[in-house]
Every structure is written in structure tokens, then in C-alpha cells.
Amino acid sequence: MNIAVFGGTFDPIHSGHMMVADVVSSRLDAQVIFIPAGQPWLKSERRLASVEDRLEMVRRAIHGNRYYSLSTAETERSGPSYSVDTMRWLKRQIAPCDELYFVIGWDNLLSLPHWRDPETLISLCRIVAVPRIGYDAPNKATLEKLLNGLSEKVVLLDEPEIDISSSAIRERIQHGLPLDNLLPQAVESYIKEQNLYLE
């Protein structure tokens, strides 16, 4: 079985995330595990919506899709969330014949050498890199300069190109602007019910 790990703050999870998951699941014939970050080390300067709210939004977004599941592995762990720790833990949970993938954007792929223990991370799984607006697809030579052996562990996807961000959605909510299908309907309803992102 192919298992693709899709991590992030999901603050909130939006239609772009769902499009990425759909393409990854289809292209790799994979089950997608959404793993919301507990305390992401790269975003420690901003106050996030509560763990409970972010988990519930993901739960509602993926409801009814048998290829998707939610893991609380990072939200139950104290301290900063590091991808390598999560993948090490997950590797122990799956069957030896299962293939593990980790989903990131082209932009994050370029910063991978600055993550915690990137060599171990790429030894545990293959990296699925999806397009980001404003970034070119990195070539094999570039990847090898970044991290030895990285080019052999990367699956570069050419779609979907997403021009949606959680920060822009939060800003639109604060200003009372329409969301125009930027969110799964169940997530938009939950945000309104809970009055999230109004301040």
C-alpha cells in the first residue's frame, strides 16, 4: 500500500489542500493521512486556531472519503512538531511492504536541508513535491546540491498549481469578504459556527 503523509497547520484547511490530496491520491494510488501540526517550529511567531478547532476542520473536510484519514500524532506530542519524528513514528506503524510518501510544496523542497535531520527524513520515505505559484520545478542537479541523494527520493508533480493560502483566507474572514469556494463547505460552516479568525 502507498501511504502519503500530508502535514501542515491547516489553519484552516482549504480547497487547495483538498486538490493537492486528490492529485496525490490519484497519481500514487495512495491513502492520504492528514497530520495537523501541534506546535510547528517554522510558525512559532503566530497564534494558531486551537488544536481542537483545526482537527475538527480537517475531520469535516475529509468526511466520507475512504482514501483519507486524520492522525493526531503531532497534536498529541508536546513541544515543536518535526516531520522526521512523525515519519520515524509512522514507519514503525506500517507494514514493511508499504511505501511511505511525504507531501510538500516545491518551495519547501528547496528549504529541506534546513529542516531537522533531513538525511534521516529522506531515508524513511519518498518526497512528493507539488507546484507552488512563483516557483520553478527544481531539476535533478539542483536537488543533489541541496542534499546528497535527494534527487532519487523525490517525485515531482506538475499539478495542481494552487493560488490559495490559509493566511489570505483568514484575512478575508477578518474583513467580511466572500470566500468563493476557497473552503470545503463543511469547513466554512464550522468557521462561522465557531466565529473563528474574526480577530
Side-chain angles (χ1 to χ4, degrees):
M1 180 192 298
N2 291 335
I3 300 169
V5 171
F6 194 179
T9 51
F10 300 121
D11 191 29
I13 189 168
H14 55 62
S15 299
H17 293 130
M18 303 311 295
M19 290 166 65
V20 167
D22 287 347
V23 169
V24 168
S25 180
S26 173
R27 289 278 195 96
L28 301 178
D29 189 25
Q31 296 286 322
V32 178
I33 303 176
F34 290 78
I35 306 186
Q39 183 186 332
W41 67 279
L42 286 172
K43 299 185 180 179
S44 56
E45 76 287 349
R46 183 175 67 76
R47 187 167 144 262
L48 304 176
S50 73
V51 163
E52 293 76 19
D53 284 329
R54 291 186 292 116
L55 287 173
E56 184 59 26
M57 286 188 281
V58 173
R59 204 173 278 119
R60 293 190 180 204
I62 69 175
H63 178 73
N65 189 319
R66 65 189 179 91
Y67 296 102
Y68 296 165
S69 61
L70 169 65
S71 169
T72 57
E74 292 196 358
T75 55
E76 291 176 2
R77 185 189 306 142
S78 61
S81 296
Y82 294 106
S83 300
V84 67
D85 295 333
T86 300
M87 299 307 281
R88 193 183 282 118
W89 170 82
L90 193 56
K91 191 78 170 177
R92 293 195 294 265
Q93 313 302 313
I94 63 175
C97 58
D98 290 340
E99 183 80 37
L100 200 54
Y101 295 85
F102 184 70
V103 181
I104 61 176
W106 287 353
D107 53 335
N108 285 326
L109 182 61
L110 298 176
S111 68
L112 197 62
H114 304 293
W115 291 26
R116 171 169 284 196
D117 203 355
E119 293 85 1
T120 297
L121 179 63
I122 66 169
S123 75
L124 294 167
C125 61
R126 299 188 72 191
I127 306 293
V128 182
V130 296
R132 285 299 295 265
I133 300 293
Y135 289 84
D136 295 325
N139 60 39
K140 191 167 183 174
T142 301
L143 293 176
E144 280 304 306
K145 284 180 188 172
L146 288 172
L147 192 63
N148 188 39
L150 180 59
S151 65
E152 301 303 319
K153 299 300 295 269
V154 169
V155 178
L156 276 178
L157 298 185
D158 55 4
E159 61 168 339
E161 285 194 321
I162 304 298
D163 195 17
I164 304 174
S165 73
S166 294
S167 58
I169 290 170
R170 292 192 302 270
E171 197 170 314
R172 292 184 73 83
I173 292 169
Q174 284 179 356
H175 291 90
L177 298 173
L179 297 172
D180 299 324
N181 301 314
L182 295 173
L183 296 164
Q185 187 56 54
V187 174
E188 184 174 348
S189 298
Y190 182 80
I191 289 171
K192 289 176 179 174
E193 288 166 16
Q194 303 298 319
N195 296 313
L196 298 180
Y197 309 120
L198 292 179
E199 50 181 60

